[in-house]
Amino acid sequence: MVARSMKAASLNSFAFSTGGIIGTLGGLIGLGGAEFRLPVLIGLFHFRALDAIIVNKAVSLIVVAVALPFRASVVPFAQISDHWGVIANLLAGSLLGAWFGAGVALRLASPALYRVIALLLALIAVVLLFGHGGGTGQPLFEGVLQQVAGVAAGFAIGIFASVLGVAGGELLIPTLILLFGCDVKLAGSLSLAVSLPTMLVGFARYSQDKSFAVLARNRGFLIAMGLGSVAGAFAGSLLLGIVRAEVLLPLLALLLAGSAVKIWLHARRAAPGPRFPPPPSRSTLPTDPTG
C-alpha cells in the first residue's frame, strides 16, 4: 500500500509539473494549453483517446473557471456584459455543437477517434500560423448575415471543443476578432464567457457514458494536472510578449503538427475492441487512495 501511494504521489507530481509546462506554453500565446495537453495525455501518460479527451476536458474546465474572474482585471465584467448579444450568438451554435461533438466522439471506434484528433490538431497548427493576426476592428458581416455566421461558427467550434476536450479559444478568439470586430483583449474575455457553458454541455454529454469513470479512477492525477495547468497559464500570461510571437507561434505549430503525425500513426496500433474496461495503461493504474 505504501509503495502504491508513493508511486501515485510521484505520478501526480509529474502531472503537476507537466501541466505547469503546458500551461506556460499556452499562456505565452494567450491560451490555456489544452491543445498541447491532449497529445501529452495520449503519448506520455498513455491514456486512450476517449479517456484522454474526458480528462483534458475536465482540466480545461478547471483552467477556464479560474481564468474568467482573473480576466476581470483586464476586461471588467461590465464590458463583457455589454457584448451579451455576441456571446448569445455564438452560444446558440456552440451548445448544440458541443453536445453533438461529444456524441460523435463517444460513437467513434478508437482508431477513427485518433485520426480525428490528429486532423484537428493539424488544423490548430494552421490556425496558430495564420489566424493570430490583428483584425481591422470592423466586423466581417453585419445584421442577419452576421448572426447566421455566428451560429454556424459556434456550432463548428462546439464540435471541435468537445472532440478535443479543449476550451476552443484557439478558434473563438480569431472568430470574435474577424467576425465581430472585437479587439484582442476583449476577444480573450468573451471567448472564456462562451467556452465555460459550452464545455459544461460537452461535459454533461460525456457524463452519460461509462467512460466518464476515468475521472474517478484518476482523481489525484486530475487535480494535480489541473493545479499545474492553472499555475502555468498564469505564469505564461505574465511572460506574454517577452518571447516574440513571430518566433514562438511557428515553433508551437510545428510541435502540434508533429504530435498530430504521431497520433495518426498511433491509430494503426489501436485495436478496435471495446472501450471499457480499458487495456493496462495509465487509465487503469490505481489512484492515490488518500484522494
Side-chain angles (χ1 to χ4, degrees):
M1 180 65 71
V2 173
R4 289 171 60 183
S5 297
M6 291 178 63
K7 184 176 181 180
S10 177
L11 187 59
N12 292 343
S13 297
F14 186 44
F16 178 88
S17 302
T18 305
I21 294 171
I22 294 170
T24 302
L25 283 176
L28 285 171
I29 56 174
L31 299 174
E35 54 284 318
F36 306 107
R37 188 186 311 116
L38 183 60
V40 170
L41 289 170
I42 293 173
L44 183 61
F45 292 104
H46 305 295
F47 282 95
R48 294 172 308 151
L50 184 58
D51 290 342
I53 291 170
I54 294 173
V55 171
N56 201 35
K57 174 70 75 176
V59 176
S60 297
L61 191 59
I62 295 171
V63 174
V64 170
V66 172
L68 189 55
F70 275 103
R71 288 285 301 188
S73 61
V74 179
V75 179
F77 285 125
Q79 188 175 351
I80 296 175
S81 64
D82 287 341
H83 293 80
W84 67 267
V86 174
I87 296 172
N89 190 181
L90 288 169
L91 282 175
S94 68
L95 297 180
L96 293 173
W99 188 270
F100 176 78
V104 169
L106 289 170
R107 289 192 299 269
L108 284 176
S110 190
L113 186 54
Y114 280 119
R115 292 189 179 96
V116 170
I117 290 172
L119 290 174
L120 292 179
L121 289 177
L123 174 63
I124 300 176
V126 173
V127 172
L128 287 179
L129 284 176
F130 302 108
H132 276 251
T136 62
Q138 299 297 321
L140 189 61
F141 304 116
E142 293 183 351
V144 175
L145 187 57
Q146 184 188 66
Q147 293 172 2
V148 172
V151 172
F155 184 76
I157 292 170
I159 294 174
F160 168 88
S162 272
V163 172
L164 288 184
V166 300
E170 48 281 294
L171 297 183
L172 275 170
I173 292 175
T175 298
L176 287 160
I177 292 173
L178 298 175
L179 183 58
F180 296 98
C182 300
D183 65 72
V184 65
K185 286 185 179 180
L186 177 61
S189 292
L190 292 180
S191 73
L192 292 176
V194 175
S195 292
L196 189 56
T198 301
M199 293 176 68
L200 287 173
V201 168
F203 212 60
R205 178 66 181 89
Y206 280 122
S207 69
Q208 296 180 357
D209 188 82
K210 56 189 175 183
S211 291
F212 198 72
V214 67
L215 298 183
R217 294 197 304 270
N218 296 278
R219 183 174 54 185
F221 177 93
L222 173 64
I223 294 173
M225 179 158 277
L227 292 175
S229 297
V230 169
F234 178 72
S237 66
L238 295 178
L239 299 174
L240 188 64
I242 293 180
V243 183
R244 294 182 59 185
E246 295 84 354
V247 176
L248 184 62
L249 288 177
L251 291 177
L252 294 179
L254 183 62
L255 178 64
L256 275 180
S259 298
V261 171
K262 287 184 178 180
I263 291 175
W264 182 275
L265 295 176
H266 188 78
R268 297 180 179 179
R269 302 191 298 271
R275 288 196 317 263
F276 196 88
S281 68
R282 167 64 195 115
S283 302
T284 58
L285 288 177
T287 54
D288 185 351
T290 63

